[in-house]
Amino acid sequence: MSHAIGVDVGGTFTDAVLSGPDGRMSVAKCLSTHDDPTDGIVTAVTAALGHTDPSAVTRVVHATTLATNAVLERRGVRVAYVTTLGFRSAIPLGRYARVEEDRYDLRFDPPAPPVAAEDCFEVPERVNSRGEVLRPLDEAAVVRVGEEIARRGVTAVAVCLLHSYANPSHERRIAEILGALVPTVVISSEVWPELREYERATTTIMSAYVGPVMAGYLRRLTARLAAVGITAPVHVMDSAGGVMSAELAARRAVTTIESGPAAGVLAAAATGYPDVISFDMGGTTAKTCVIRDGAPEITHEFHVGGKGSFGGRRAGTGVPVKTPAIDLAEVGAGGGSVAWVDPAGALRVGPRSAGSEPGPACYGLGGEEPTVTDANLVLGYLDPASFAGGTMPLSRALAEKAVDRHLAGPLGVSGAEAAHAVHEIANASMGSAVHVVTVQRGIDPAGFVMVAFGGAGPMHAARVASRFGISTVVVPAYCGVGSAAGLLSGDLSTDRVRSALDADPGQVFAALATAAARDLGVSPDSPGVSVTRSADMRFTGQAHDLTVPWTDSPTELAGRFSARYLQVYGIAQEGPTEIVGYRVRVTQAAARAPRSPATPAVPAAPGPPAPAGLPGAGTAGGGATRPVRRRSAYFPEAGGYVEVPVFTRAGLGEVAGPAIVEDAESTIVVPPGWTARLAETMSVILTEAAR
């Protein structure tokens, strides 16, 4: 009897989901352990296993923020950079776009480059864009550079030569020479052989920077799981929603930078609605993504480690990384986001988070600053006794003390008013992320369904949706551990890309598919293996390109490009086009059982006993509504604090707000003007009445 485990490590909580051969799931949630994330993982996995034999686990899928944190906190290894003679200054010079807080700073200093100027080296060689060797590689110079790098104690080297995507022979020879002198050598023609030297260089540097950190972490995780009896292979989700082996993740660590958020989007897509706005709010951040026709939007370049809005997505606000990633907008607004009053007397929320150490004030772990979770507790949205399934009781007294001392007092308002202001500011911040992925791109969000998950998402989803005229919010049964559950939806896959001008498409695609299949240890022709082909196209003479699905028909391909151009830019334009790059994704479908609702591995909220299979698996789609209790909660439309019914999914048929629905790992707030009902899928469907 085989089982699969999905583990998601967030800034505040670590979630684990165990799926059995019949599709039934057991879930667990515990505080993340930042000194060593594997401690929290083992705790969560052990709780999710319960009485299940660890040896029955045949697959472990992991989403991690390790690569992201290594970049943000500058905890990667020291990297040397080697490039073509005459181009060593490209990285120290860099590229930077000033964000709002820097725009008028006369003493502005740009961020430090990913590699210090003194660690940038160049070697004599030259290849043109057609792959023709204009100047042979000076191997003696490479030896001298390698000896100097080793003398400095640098342990990782990133090599990016001019036009190596067209002819990688010089890079491969440099890797052979430097490999005898330095432990880690990463070359751009293996990482991501695309046009645009600066972006290709930074992508290679980031891979060298976080690769050794990721390799060490995955070795340690594998050993820790083996110690508790789980010897199944560990797989890691990549930024585009695919899954790769731990060995491949260590070699191509740069592809895991958006690992965690990608898993949540897969969970939203798995609900079956074609047009969805994924809304994932955890303890540290909130993330949104557009899903159209059942597939999330994919970007082929994003920026990490910089300042600016929505996770540094804007060009120039961080280090550019050219690798496929689910196109997300992210804001520092989670349950642990700290609320504070700035020197001008304005209330602010985030982006700083209390995390899991010390956590919100109500956790009683030493935190004294008020957070969004504290505000929601003061407002009555959270039950102190049933938070995280009752494994982590909250202190309302500590939450009220933090809100009164740091917010209500300085602002001269009541504690309830201050807490509600925090709740609304968090909603506005998350609304701005929805705005980025929809309105700013010419998409009307009113025609979409919002799928809400994460420990805090269902508390805020209806209010955020209402701002955009979204009248339907879906809260899946496993909402509190949505990202961990989404991991089990991922198939083994990997991407390969190559920029090539005037190439034979058939030969390029065949070579890319063979290389990608080799990464997965399969053949492109094996049963269960699929190869998806696409091309980067542009109007002749333009600088930037768009990716479109491949077809052998030039006319149809041009039509797909024109349609994509209209979708992105809102302009119907015709003209000669050219292909500048080729992409393949090789996917091996993972064996998975039919999905059933989740069974909590932590105690459910107090109430009537629930049938096996769900925290309160009541009468789906309607029927009698049975509140388990009533409590005072703050709804300004109702005049402030009012007594509202509290339900579990067990007793929920259909109910009008204001009301609260409690899960083992999350809480759903149903505001006035909204109704909630339980669907056959065991999702809670929130619907807003027509305005």
Side-chain angles (χ1 to χ4, degrees):
M1 298 291 284
S2 61
H3 293 70
I5 288 180
V7 184
D8 174 47
V9 178
T12 304
F13 287 99
T14 294
D15 302 333
V17 172
L18 174 71
S19 176
D22 58 356
R24 295 172 66 85
M25 295 195 296
S26 174
V27 306
K29 181 184 286 283
C30 70
L31 287 172
S32 295
T33 51
H34 298 291
D35 288 342
D36 186 354
T38 62
D39 290 340
I41 291 173
V42 170
T43 299
V45 167
T46 301
L49 280 171
H51 299 294
T52 301
D53 183 358
S55 64
V57 176
T58 58
R59 186 180 185 222
V60 177
V61 190
H62 181 32
T64 174
T65 57
L66 185 81
T68 308
N69 293 338
V71 175
L72 295 177
E73 299 169 11
R74 300 234 169 207
R75 290 192 290 104
V77 300
R78 184 180 175 185
V79 177
Y81 174 61
V82 177
T83 188
T84 302
L85 181 67
F87 291 87
R88 67 178 294 274
S89 296
I91 295 302
L93 285 173
R95 186 186 301 149
Y96 189 74
R98 292 197 185 194
V99 296
E100 290 84 354
E101 59 264 39
D102 295 333
R103 214 160 270 167
Y104 304 106
D105 184 357
L106 298 180
R107 294 181 174 83
F108 166 76
D109 288 321
V115 176
E118 60 269 22
D119 287 336
C120 294
F121 300 88
E122 51 192 18
V123 294
E125 68 86 38
R126 194 63 178 266
V127 172
N128 68 14
S129 61
R130 304 289 177 183
E132 299 163 345
V133 177
L134 303 180
R135 182 177 184 178
L137 175 66
D138 186 339
E139 296 190 4
V142 176
V143 173
R144 290 193 296 272
V145 165
E147 290 173 344
E148 176 60 20
I149 291 172
R151 186 190 67 79
R152 296 184 183 189
V154 179
T155 58
V157 180
V159 182
C160 181
L161 304 180
L162 199 66
H163 300 307
S164 63
Y165 58 85
N167 183 345
S169 60
H170 286 179
E171 280 195 353
R172 291 172 179 169
R173 180 57 184 148
I174 289 175
E176 291 176 3
I177 296 171
L178 296 184
L181 301 167
V182 183
T184 301
V185 180
V186 180
I187 59 177
S188 71
S189 53
E190 287 293 329
V191 173
W192 218 249
E194 283 194 87
L195 289 165
R196 297 188 176 84
E197 307 305 319
Y198 180 69
E199 289 84 353
R200 182 158 52 87
T202 55
T203 303
T204 308
I205 290 168
M206 286 297 101
S207 190
Y209 185 68
V210 301
V213 177
M214 178 67 77
Y217 166 75
L218 292 174
R219 284 195 299 269
R220 192 164 63 253
L221 174 61
T222 301
R224 292 292 303 273
L225 292 175
V228 297
I230 298 175
T231 57
V234 175
H235 295 150
V236 180
M237 177 151 286
D238 68 18
S239 303
V243 174
M244 63 180 70
S245 68
E247 293 78 12
L248 183 57
R251 296 203 317 267
R252 304 183 67 185
V254 71
T255 64
T256 69
I257 285 179
E258 293 289 344
S259 169
V265 175
L266 292 187
T271 57
Y273 293 86
D275 296 326
V276 165
I277 294 173
S278 166
F279 176 65
D280 177 6
M281 182 181 178
T284 306
T285 60
K287 297 159 282 283
T288 63
C289 174
V290 169
I291 298 169
R292 289 198 276 198
D293 297 326
E297 293 288 324
I298 301 292
T299 181
H300 294 286
E301 180 181 323
F302 58 98
H303 300 75
V304 295
K307 292 193 292 185
S309 305
F310 318 114
R313 289 278 173 170
R314 288 183 297 177
T317 60
V319 178
V321 174
K322 287 187 71 66
T323 183
I326 289 177
D327 197 5
L328 295 150
E330 184 172 351
V331 291
S337 295
V338 174
W340 50 287
V341 178
D342 69 16
L347 178 61
R348 308 282 293 275
V349 177
R352 187 167 59 87
S353 174
S356 61
E357 298 172 358
C362 60
Y363 283 11
L365 300 177
E368 297 182 351
E369 296 178 292
T371 66
V372 174
T373 296
D374 293 305
N376 286 332
L377 182 58
V378 170
L379 295 172
Y381 300 155
L382 288 171
D383 183 347
S386 63
F387 183 76
T391 62
M392 188 177 179
L394 305 179
S395 170
R396 178 161 182 157
L398 289 176
E400 290 174 340
K401 179 181 177 181
V403 170
D404 289 342
R405 178 180 177 184
H406 294 278
L407 304 179
L411 295 172
V413 298
S414 69
E417 290 172 322
H420 185 257
V422 171
H423 184 86
E424 284 294 286
I425 290 173
N427 290 342
S429 179
M430 292 180 287
S432 63
V434 175
H435 189 275
V436 165
V437 297
T438 56
V439 177
Q440 281 191 197
R441 300 176 184 178
I443 300 171
D444 180 6
F448 286 70
V449 170
M450 178 174 284
V451 175
F453 53 97
M459 268 186 294
H460 294 259
R463 298 291 195 188
V464 174
S466 187
R467 291 171 175 265
F468 296 92
I470 299 171
S471 59
T472 302
V473 175
V474 176
V475 184
Y478 47 88
C479 60
V481 291
S483 291
L487 289 168
L488 302 180
S489 302
D491 293 316
L492 280 171
S493 63
T494 187
D495 295 86
R496 285 279 180 160
V497 64
R498 181 188 162 197
S499 291
L501 303 173
D502 301 326
D504 180 343
Q507 291 182 359
V508 176
F509 279 131
L512 292 175
T514 299
R518 187 165 52 245
D519 288 339
L520 297 182
V522 299
S523 167
D525 301 321
S526 299
V529 173
S530 62
V531 179
T532 304
R533 302 182 298 172
S534 57
D536 296 339
M537 296 184 65
R538 65 188 181 192
F539 285 116
T540 303
Q542 288 193 342
H544 296 282
D545 48 71
L546 294 172
T547 302
V548 296
W550 177 259
T551 172
D552 290 328
S553 167
T555 302
E556 187 176 351
L557 188 65
R560 291 179 181 181
F561 172 73
S562 296
R564 179 63 176 159
Y565 195 95
L566 175 63
Q567 183 185 63
V568 172
Y569 298 112
I571 300 172
Q573 184 160 319
E574 300 293 335
T577 61
E578 60 181 348
I579 300 171
V580 296
Y582 301 87
R583 300 178 185 274
V584 300
R585 164 160 277 216
V586 174
T587 302
Q588 182 182 35
R592 57 175 65 88
R595 172 167 290 164
S596 294
T599 302
V602 293
L614 186 75
T619 306
T625 301
R626 299 173 290 144
V628 295
R629 72 183 72 82
R630 302 181 71 87
R631 73 166 175 263
S632 179
Y634 190 90
F635 293 95
E637 306 96 322
Y641 282 106
V642 293
E643 291 293 314
V644 301
V646 179
F647 305 89
T648 64
R649 291 187 194 239
L652 185 65
E654 184 165 341
V655 62
I660 292 173
V661 181
E662 290 181 343
D663 270 339
E665 315 87 24
S666 188
T667 298
I668 306 168
V669 172
V670 188
W674 288 75
T675 60
R677 65 178 177 86
L678 190 64
E680 294 293 339
T681 59
M682 306 314 296
S683 294
V684 174
I685 312 296
L686 305 182
T687 307
E688 186 176 27
R691 300 182 188 179

